[in-house]
Amino acid sequence: MEKIRTGVIGTGFIGPTHIEALRRLGFVDVVALADIDDATAKAKAEQLSIGKSYGDYKNLLADPEVDVVHICSPNSFHFQMAKEALLAGKHVVCEKPLTMNSAEAKELIALAKEKGLANAVHFNIRFYPVIHEARAMIQNGELGTIFAVNGSYQQDWLFKETDYSWRLEPKFSGDSRAVADIGSHWLDSVEFMTGVKIDKVCADFATFYPIRKKPLKPVETYSGKVLTPDDYADVPINTEDYASVLLKFDNGAHGSMTVNQVAAGRKNRIWFEIYGSKKSIAIDTERPNEMWIGERDEANHILLRDPSLMHREAAQVISYPGGHNEGFPDTIKQFATKFYNYIRTEGYKTGATPEFPTFEAGLRELQLCEAIVDSAKQEKWLSL
């Protein structure tokens, strides 16, 4: 069988994780990558053993050997790159957020439908097996009526005032940072698991470092060296380090989400608690092969990830037997498996229902984030 040929735009942290996952599928060949300039792209291509490199993404889009494009660039480039990729006849996988605003997302949805092309947003957190298991349990009525959903997404990669990234700058990342960057994953996963929709939000934002120290040199040039004050510039920060959001769902359930990018010791912890009328469940992605199940009239217990003990929907996103742990890289592989099988079976032509988050999921999260940002500004409840 012919391999599907893919090009990846952007080779920061997330681009290479896409490449690694695609190579694990066996039927996808990453044939090209693009980055900010020829030298950067060539060096990364050599490092990753990719045959072709482009210092201009437009040349990758024009490459007739590329069937699918993965967009792993900063947020502000997503819309234009995705639009041009669709116009070039390529299937598209885009990192979140899909675009900088919901109007742009709607344009991409319409264009993808017009061109008849497969499209996806990389909400890979859905593909932890325990999250698929939670969805199956809820769909089967095992939790009963959903009463409440609580949780958080906490990191410490921006803990110090000298920690800096393009994600801190609204011109690249958008009006929201913590909610758009990590809160979007939490919100998408909750709606995916519960099957109920958030219809009202009330948000509170905090920026703990209104001024940050931006390095004046590329990180590589001084890594491991002691910096002086002259090595930094003071930069005002206008996006949130932290957010608390109260939630109301369309079935009457209530909830809350906290996101925090200055949480010391929390490297990438996503926490979910879902409380139903029959039982409760909790998931912690720092322990991704476990689900806590809470009972009233019998002992609580821990479900360990095992395809032989889980619902069919969860077993489908598991590659190894129980006791052989899977984690973050595997979520990307399982996401890619669903997306590329959709292309192989031409589901985008037959109208088959995608088993992965499409551009519509990207639009949904933009609408949620926009409402949350507006709520924080106005300090009141807002309806979607």
Side-chain angles (χ1 to χ4, degrees):
M1 182 177 292
E2 279 192 24
K3 288 190 174 184
I4 301 171
R5 300 165 300 181
T6 295
V8 176
I9 303 174
T11 61
F13 159 68
I14 201 65
T17 68
H18 283 239
I19 293 167
E20 178 189 11
L22 295 177
R23 286 173 167 166
R24 294 174 68 190
L25 301 188
F27 60 90
V28 177
D29 189 5
V30 182
V31 298
L33 63 75
D35 212 303
I36 193 168
D37 54 41
D38 288 334
T40 303
K42 182 179 179 181
K44 205 70 176 183
E46 289 177 354
Q47 178 186 341
L48 297 170
S49 299
I50 294 173
K52 290 186 281 189
S53 63
Y54 297 105
D56 185 339
Y57 76 90
K58 294 178 185 291
N59 293 330
L60 183 147
L61 298 182
D63 188 334
E65 292 190 1
V66 173
D67 305 311
V68 184
V69 174
H70 284 233
I71 298 170
C72 303
S73 58
N75 305 352
S76 57
F77 299 104
H78 290 182
F79 170 68
Q80 192 62 35
M81 288 178 174
K83 181 177 180 179
E84 292 180 23
L86 293 169
L87 290 171
K90 316 294 187 184
H91 305 294
V92 176
V93 174
C94 188
E95 270 298 327
K96 49 80 203 157
L98 176 58
T99 61
M100 297 284 272
N101 57 66
S102 56
E104 291 176 342
K106 290 176 182 177
E107 184 176 339
L108 290 183
I109 290 169
L111 181 58
K113 288 179 179 177
E114 176 190 329
K115 296 295 182 180
L117 293 164
N119 57 89
V121 177
H122 190 232
F123 286 121
N124 63 297
I125 302 304
R126 289 189 188 191
F127 289 89
Y128 280 109
V130 289
I131 285 184
H132 269 59
E133 178 71 5
R135 175 181 170 88
M137 292 173 67
I138 292 168
Q139 287 180 335
N140 291 344
E142 294 172 39
L143 267 68
T145 301
I146 302 301
F147 288 154
V149 183
N150 307 110
S152 60
Y153 197 146
Q154 315 230 30
Q155 303 173 321
D156 71 358
W157 72 288
L158 292 172
F159 180 71
K160 299 177 181 179
E161 67 174 350
T162 52
D163 290 329
Y164 205 84
S165 164
W166 60 263
R167 293 185 183 277
L168 291 157
E169 300 181 22
K171 67 179 179 180
F172 294 122
S173 66
D175 292 337
S176 170
R177 188 215 323 151
V179 171
D181 185 21
I182 57 176
S184 58
H185 274 299
W186 192 94
L187 296 163
D188 174 77
S189 296
V190 161
E191 290 195 337
F192 175 75
M193 285 187 284
T194 64
V196 296
K197 297 294 184 182
I198 298 162
D199 63 5
K200 291 182 180 179
V201 297
C202 185
D204 172 59
F205 283 8
T207 303
F208 299 125
Y209 291 115
I211 302 291
R212 282 185 181 263
K213 306 289 186 181
K214 181 178 181 179
L216 296 174
K217 307 171 186 176
V219 172
E220 292 78 9
T221 64
Y222 60 78
S223 181
K225 297 180 181 179
V226 176
L227 303 183
T228 69
D230 292 339
D231 291 317
Y232 297 101
D234 286 347
V235 175
I237 301 300
N238 300 307
T239 55
E240 76 280 6
D241 291 317
Y242 170 96
S244 289
V245 187
L246 295 175
L247 308 167
K248 292 183 181 179
F249 294 83
D250 60 5
N251 74 328
H254 291 244
S256 63
M257 173 189 76
T258 296
V259 293
N260 185 357
Q261 294 184 311
V262 296
R266 292 301 186 192
K267 305 306 176 185
N268 195 54
R269 186 191 192 234
I270 317 173
W271 175 261
F272 304 97
E273 293 181 339
I274 302 175
Y275 296 96
S277 59
K278 295 181 179 178
K279 63 181 65 178
S280 305
I281 58 174
I283 295 168
D284 177 357
T285 64
E286 289 188 346
R287 304 178 68 89
N289 291 275
E290 301 177 6
M291 175 195 289
W292 176 87
I293 300 175
E295 307 280 359
R296 166 64 186 265
D297 297 317
E298 56 186 274
N300 299 336
H301 58 283
I302 301 293
L303 170 67
L304 297 179
R305 183 205 55 81
D306 185 331
S308 68
L309 301 176
M310 299 170 79
H311 291 79
R312 178 184 59 84
E313 297 88 340
Q316 286 180 341
V317 294
I318 298 174
S319 295
Y320 300 99
H324 298 74
N325 289 339
E326 294 173 287
F328 179 82
D330 301 281
T331 67
I332 304 171
K333 183 192 77 172
Q334 300 296 349
F335 164 89
T337 300
K338 295 285 190 183
F339 179 76
Y340 278 87
N341 279 330
Y342 189 75
I343 293 175
R344 283 209 295 181
T345 58
E346 298 189 331
Y348 59 96
K349 292 183 180 179
T350 63
T353 301
E355 295 183 324
F356 53 85
T358 63
F359 283 1
E360 280 82 2
L363 171 62
R364 172 64 179 168
E365 296 317 306
L366 283 162
Q367 291 170 331
L368 279 167
C369 288
E370 287 170 353
I372 289 168
V373 169
D374 288 344
S375 170
K377 289 178 179 176
Q378 299 177 42
E379 298 185 332
K380 68 178 185 180
W381 283 95
L382 290 181
S383 298
L384 274 86

